[in-house]
Amino acid sequence: MDAEGIAYWSRPEHHGWDEVWLNHPLVRARANQRVTGSPDLWPLASLRAAVPDRLPLPRTASIGCGIGNLEHSLIDLDLVRTVVGVDYRPYAIDVAARRAAASGRADRISYRCAQARDFLAAEPDLDAIFFHSSLHHFTDHESLLRLVRGAQRPDGVLFLDEYVGPSRNEWSWRDVLRWNRMYWSLPRSVRRTRIIRPPVSRDDPTEAVESSRILPAVAAHFEVVLRRDYGGNVLAPIYPSLRRPDQTGGPSDAVFDDAVRRLLAWDDVASARAQSFHTVIIARPRRN
Ligand SMILES: C[S@@+](CC[C@H](N)C(=O)[O-])C[C@H]1O[C@@H](n2cnc3c(N)ncnc32)[C@H](O)[C@@H]1O
């Protein structure tokens, strides 16, 4: 698993179907707009509006931190005073710790190689807990979020930026047929693969393993202060099959961007009709 993990998380070209779509500037701008109301303000900025009186939050944790990007943004934006990143992959923690040291921030960003559940069970009174694209890799969200609640102060903050769509075994032929109809209406030069397959990562069996259970588990243990859906219902499954302008036989930048704009328009409709696949949530622990 670790050899896979190393390549998977340290090389953008190996990133899963749920991430790459957000790297396109038009898509990023739309997601930002839907979450923060501005194409230039990334989702973390919504924390400033939701808990303005308590920033920077003194003691916080980023669960499933990978090679450590979110933690730097939290410090850059002065949203937290300190953050500990937690991941069970030694390689990821090693890279993340070296990056924190190289940036001169080791006094505010630290890393722990641990199972998230072990860390949460032993760490009380955190001011905030962050999950960025990591909660959908867990099973049994009900018990996990109980632990998250227990690890927080009563006035703690939970921040999620997550895939909350169907779990990997929940895709129907209707979903797949719909994506393929849209895909086939795009120009030939933009289509890299013959068909769109169900977005089930074969490299990572934890991908979306029980993702449809996330929202009910959050509601059981937290009161949602802010929720901003940003779709992905069409773009996330289709984008990895597109041929990019820099690939052999690829479309021009203009043709590619036009295809992305069409997918964005369909994405807005699809994520308004059904539950959005991606969302940002800020929540507080329930008192009961
Ligand atoms: C999709 S990556 C996200 C990494 C990072 N948060 C980001 O957004 O770039 C999910 C991470 O969660 C970690 N993870 C999954 N299950 C975990 C667990 N039970 N305990 C600790 N880390 C876990 C994985 O090792 C992986 O690095």
Side-chain angles (χ1 to χ4, degrees):
M1 188 71 185
D2 245 329
E4 290 270 293
I6 288 167
Y8 192 74
W9 292 117
S10 53
R11 293 171 53 184
E13 68 270 26
H14 286 193
H15 277 196
W17 64 271
D18 62 334
E19 300 141 68
V20 182
W21 61 293
L22 282 164
N23 291 338
H24 190 285
L26 291 173
V27 182
R28 184 73 257 172
R30 177 72 62 98
N32 287 353
Q33 177 82 45
R34 288 183 67 171
V35 177
T36 63
S38 160
D40 303 321
L41 278 185
W42 286 52
L44 270 184
S46 52
L47 204 54
R48 202 170 290 290
V51 283
D53 46 328
R54 302 198 31 227
L55 303 177
L57 294 154
R59 281 185 67 244
T60 70
S62 163
I63 306 295
C65 61
I67 59 171
N69 291 319
L70 184 82
E71 300 74 58
H72 290 265
S73 301
L74 288 169
I75 300 288
D76 285 343
L77 296 170
D78 207 25
L79 296 172
V80 306
R81 193 165 306 289
T82 65
V83 55
V84 51
V86 179
D87 205 291
Y88 64 1
R89 292 208 172 122
Y91 174 82
I93 288 298
D94 193 42
V95 173
R98 275 190 276 120
R99 291 175 71 196
S103 71
R105 290 166 162 168
D107 56 329
R108 294 178 70 185
I109 307 178
S110 59
Y111 287 99
R112 197 91 55 86
C113 188
Q115 276 283 348
R117 287 175 197 271
D118 294 341
F119 170 85
L120 291 166
E123 198 73 24
D125 294 334
L126 289 165
D127 293 284
I129 295 180
F130 297 85
F131 287 88
H132 185 272
S133 298
S134 52
L135 194 50
H136 67 277
H137 289 268
F138 287 77
T139 54
D140 190 2
H141 292 96
E142 206 283 328
S143 72
L144 180 70
L145 284 156
R146 185 188 301 276
L147 278 174
V148 170
R149 182 171 71 165
Q152 293 194 333
R153 288 163 44 114
D155 59 352
V157 176
L158 170 67
F159 180 97
L160 310 181
D161 184 342
E162 274 298 333
Y163 171 76
V164 293
S167 305
R168 60 190 289 132
N169 62 353
E170 291 175 343
W171 298 113
S172 72
W173 62 268
R174 269 198 201 85
D175 299 312
V176 179
L177 206 63
R178 203 176 305 126
W179 298 324
N180 275 283
R181 257 198 242 113
M182 294 176 192
Y183 182 62
W184 275 89
S185 75
L186 298 174
R188 175 75 193 90
S189 62
V190 181
R191 287 183 270 124
R192 185 178 58 79
T193 62
R194 204 169 51 79
I195 56 168
I196 303 295
R197 295 182 191 283
V200 176
S201 168
R202 272 180 254 141
D203 295 335
D204 183 353
T206 70
E207 182 69 53
V209 58
E210 290 182 9
S211 46
S212 63
R213 307 229 178 132
I214 293 176
L215 292 178
V218 170
H221 293 288
F222 290 85
E223 280 173 23
V224 174
V225 175
L226 173 146
R227 174 171 166 184
R228 298 279 185 268
D229 295 338
Y230 63 94
N233 300 39
V234 169
L235 267 152
I238 294 182
Y239 194 88
S241 287
L242 301 184
R243 183 176 280 114
R244 324 274 162 78
D246 61 351
Q247 290 175 321
T248 312
S252 66
D253 285 336
V255 168
F256 187 76
D257 286 355
D258 192 52
V260 169
R261 278 191 199 92
R262 283 171 68 184
L263 291 170
L264 272 170
W266 287 326
D267 201 289
D268 283 350
V269 173
S271 61
R273 278 195 192 142
Q275 185 192 284
S276 167
F277 284 4
H278 291 80
T279 195
V280 168
I281 287 177
I282 298 176
R284 291 184 183 286
R286 283 196 184 281
R287 287 184 190 280
N288 55 357

